[in-house]
Structures are given as C-alpha cells and as structure tokens.
Amino acid sequence: MTLKADAAPDGAAAPDGDPAPAAAAPGGYRAVFAVREFRAVFAAHVLSLQGTVVAQIALAVLVFRLTASPLLSALTFALGFVPYAISGTLLAGIADRFPPRRVLVVCDLLCAACAAGMVLPGTPIAVLLVLRGLMATVGPVFTGTRAASLADILPGDAFVLGRSLIRIVAQGAQVVGFGVGGLLLIVVPPRGALLLTVAAFLGSALLLRLGTRRRPARGAGDRAGGGGTGSLLADRRVRSLLLLGWVPTFFAVVPEALAAPYADAVGAGTTGLGLFMAAMPVGMILGESLAGGYLSPVVRGRIAGPLVACTLLPYAVFLLRPSLPWSLAAMFVAGLTGAYTLGVDQWFVDAVPEGMRGRAMTVQSAGLMTIQGAGMVAAGAAAEFVPVHLVNGWSFVIGTLCVLVVLRTVRGAGRDHVSR
C-alpha cells in the first residue's frame, strides 16, 4: 500500500518491522490543549459523553418503571453495542464522503432529536428502544469522523496525545459518570434527565460548528459504502493493526463482564464490586497519562509491542482464586498496560491513506465496540460451565497466545512494507 505523502518520512517501518512513531510535538498534553480547535473538540466530547451516560441510565430506569421487565431494561444497554457492527460496515464511507465538521454536527443533532423523542410523554416502549438504537448507530460515524479530524487539527505526535486525552475522559466517565447519573435520578425524573441529554448534544453541536474550521471531504469513497471498506481491509498492514486493537480487548473485558458473579463468589459485596469495576479504568487513566506526558514518541513506539504482549498477564492471578485486594491489583496493572494504545494509534494513522482515514477510524471504532460485546457474551457463556475465576484466568492463557500471533503478523506486515 502507498503511504500518505506527509507520513512517508516518519511512517517508515522500524528495523523489527513495527512502524516508527512520528516526530514529537514538544510540550506534551499542554501543547495539545494550546490548540484552540482541539479545545472545542474536547469540550464537545465531554458534553456528548455525559449526555450518552445520562441517557443510558435514565432510559434503563424509565423502561424498567414502565414495564417492570429486567430484560427490557438490560436491552437498553445492549442496544448501545449491537448497532456498531452494522453502522461501522455500512456507513463508514460517510466519514470521508462529506466535510467532517458537517458530519459531526449532524450526528450530534440526530442524537439530540432521538433524546427529545424519548422525553415525549406516552412514547411507546418499542419506539424508545428504536431511538436508543438509532443513537448508537450514529456513534461509530461520529467517533471515526472525529478521530480522523484530530489528525488534521493535531499533526504528528500531537494526534496521538489528542486521542489519548479523548480516551482518558471516556475512562473517567466510566469511573464517575454512572455514579453521578444515579445520584441525578434521585432528584430528577428520568424524562427530566433525558432533557439534559438533549441539551448536552445541542451544546456539543454548537461547539463543533463554531469552534472548528470547515475542511473539505477527504475523498468520495465508494458510493455503495462497501467497496472502500473491502479495499481497506485488503491491506495486510491495516488489517493486522486493526486486529491488534481488537484482539486484546476481546479478552480484556472478560473479568469486567463477570464482575458481579466474581464479587459474589469472593464475598466482596456491592462495595467490592464497585471497586473491582473501577480498578482497570483508573489504571488506564494513569498509564496513558504517564506515557503521554513523560515518554517520547520513539519510546512509546518501542514499548507498545511488549506492553500489548503483557496486557493480559495480570489475569494469571485469577487462576489462583485470589482475594479481592489481589484482584484489584491485577485489574489495576492490566489497566496500566493499556498505554500501548498510544504507539498503536500512531502506527495505524501512518498506515492508512489520508483519503480513507475517516472510514478507517470508523471501522476501528465500530469493531472495538462490537468485539467488547462479543467478549462479554463469550465470557458469560463460558461461566455457565466453568468457575468464574478460571474463566478470568484462562482469558490470560488463550488471549496472550492470540495477541502474540497478531503481533507477529503486524511485524511481518511492517517488514513487507519496507521491502517494497
């Protein structure tokens, strides 16, 4: 595959076959926040993220109050994952076919409209679920377009740090967002909370419209939406880097998916369950913050391979059926190793042609969400027949073998690229 012209000097493969990171942007995270456009994108992300979290909780509570059905209430959460596979495949080309600012603003407005429909009294349960599904369908297009736009707003290593900040905020929301949302519903009825979701998405749309520059579409892409994605996945480097982002995640979500039965098995109670769920996000926030703030792009690229190879290693402790403190330590350390994503991000953006960057980021995002859902389902199915602590522990054994195979493919693809 032909490299982008602006990435050729920095995107060449390293001697071991891994793509070399781009040149550093001095100043780390502080320099990223100095870019006015990024501040607008970041603020919009915070608003839309909080809107999504509030919508998830409020809609689940609303549906349960209307139906008294745990299944339908749980379905409101599942609908946040299911549409990703569909829209990530069929709608990926939108990210490159239209000006990115327009795509982002329209996505926010569509989400605001869906939330407004949920607020209306008398909205049937089926319609509420459809609206939730539509919001999730918009998600991969928005996420992929924003990620591709960051590469225009933040050139070189600043792009990697910008994506890191976006992830850190998402992990922070996982730690505190649902708790805050639960407290909000104590004083505000579910439909009132959904009004806040409408306001959040409208605020995000306004920030993106006024705070970012208009840029032309990157490429026409394939009008049918499928051929472009097919040609993207036909490239061995791109395909292997996508797998490197997806495969570890499939196994990494296993302990979180089984958190409730595991906490019950070790007698941890609801407090222990909350700590268990928070341990990995806290580790990921710390790991990415330290790697992005104190390590150079060259060092981050060099440690990405070893870190991803070891990312599931802490789960080995579950084979010994550890007490809660050891389990928390394992989840925290596993989160720390998530710093490998900074190096993999740069490899990926260097491997993708600029005209297909939006499509590639959309496919990456959609695949990541889909693989998390699949990993959770697989973990639950395995736990029906195997003790929970063994399912967690064997996710290390099987997952590490799979990750090592993908790493070998990534390095082989890098060497093939150098030889061309």
Side-chain angles (χ1 to χ4, degrees):
M1 183 185 70
T2 304
L3 278 175
K4 308 187 301 291
D6 59 348
D10 298 318
D16 64 356
D18 289 337
Y29 288 123
R30 183 177 299 180
V32 173
F33 273 117
V35 179
R36 182 187 63 82
E37 277 192 278
F38 177 76
R39 292 199 300 270
V41 172
F42 185 83
H45 172 62
V46 172
L47 275 177
S48 61
L49 184 63
Q50 293 308 309
T52 300
V53 169
V54 170
Q56 286 178 326
I57 300 175
L59 186 60
V61 172
L62 178 62
V63 169
F64 184 73
R65 288 181 180 176
L66 292 174
T67 65
S69 169
L71 175 61
L72 289 176
S73 180
L75 187 59
T76 64
F77 283 97
L79 285 172
F81 289 91
V82 174
Y84 267 75
I86 301 171
S87 61
T89 302
L90 300 180
L91 305 180
I94 291 176
D96 294 319
R97 195 177 303 155
F98 300 100
R101 185 177 68 178
R102 184 191 306 170
V103 174
L104 294 174
V105 171
V106 169
C107 284
D108 269 339
L109 293 177
L110 286 174
C111 288
C114 289
M118 298 174 189
V119 173
L120 296 175
T123 304
I125 300 299
V127 175
L128 289 175
L129 296 177
V130 168
L131 291 172
R132 177 68 186 99
L134 288 175
M135 288 179 67
T137 300
V138 169
V141 178
F142 181 90
T143 303
T145 305
R146 182 186 60 204
S149 297
L150 283 181
D152 299 324
I153 297 170
L154 302 170
D157 183 57
F159 162 77
V160 175
L161 297 181
R163 287 203 76 185
S164 173
L165 285 169
I166 295 293
R167 277 194 302 269
I168 287 172
V169 170
Q171 292 298 328
Q174 188 173 340
V175 175
V176 302
F178 287 109
V180 172
L183 292 175
L184 177 67
L185 290 175
I186 295 176
V187 296
V188 179
R191 294 189 192 276
L194 286 168
L195 278 175
L196 296 179
T197 295
V198 176
F201 281 115
L202 290 177
S204 175
L206 188 64
L207 281 168
L208 292 169
R209 177 62 181 83
L210 300 180
T212 60
R213 291 198 298 114
R214 185 188 186 282
R215 292 178 173 85
R218 288 179 185 83
D222 177 75
R223 293 294 175 183
T229 301
S231 63
L232 181 74
L233 297 178
D235 184 273
R236 188 186 176 200
R237 285 186 69 207
V238 172
R239 190 171 63 248
S240 63
L241 288 170
L242 283 171
L243 288 174
L244 189 59
W246 295 342
V247 171
T249 303
F250 178 88
F251 296 96
V253 300
V254 169
E256 290 183 313
L258 301 176
Y262 182 76
D264 180 69
V266 299
T270 55
T271 301
L273 173 61
L275 292 172
F276 188 84
M277 292 293 290
M280 178 178 282
V282 169
M284 293 184 74
I285 292 171
L286 181 60
E288 285 212 36
S289 299
L290 292 175
Y294 295 100
L295 300 181
S296 70
V298 173
V299 174
R300 293 200 302 265
R302 286 174 179 167
I303 67 173
L307 277 180
V308 72
C310 296
T311 191
L312 300 171
L313 179 60
Y315 291 177
V317 74
F318 287 108
L319 293 170
L320 305 176
R321 197 171 187 178
S323 61
L324 181 64
W326 283 105
S327 300
L328 296 179
M331 297 297 286
F332 177 76
V333 173
L336 285 176
T337 65
Y340 74 81
T341 53
L342 279 79
V344 174
D345 274 350
Q346 189 61 60
W347 299 349
F348 187 68
V349 76
D350 286 345
V352 175
E354 185 175 358
M356 299 184 72
R357 187 182 291 157
R359 181 189 295 271
M361 296 296 182
T362 302
V363 171
Q364 183 190 52
S365 170
L368 192 63
M369 292 297 290
T370 303
I371 208 73
Q372 287 183 73
M376 292 176 181
V377 171
E384 290 289 324
F385 306 97
V386 180
V388 171
H389 71 282
L390 291 180
V391 176
N392 291 341
W394 275 97
S395 68
F396 146 68
V397 178
I398 301 172
T400 299
L401 291 174
C402 293
V403 170
L404 291 175
V405 170
V406 174
L407 266 176
R408 183 176 180 180
T409 303
V410 169
R411 289 184 169 136
R415 286 191 292 269
D416 289 346
H417 176 76
V418 171
S419 64
R420 293 179 188 176

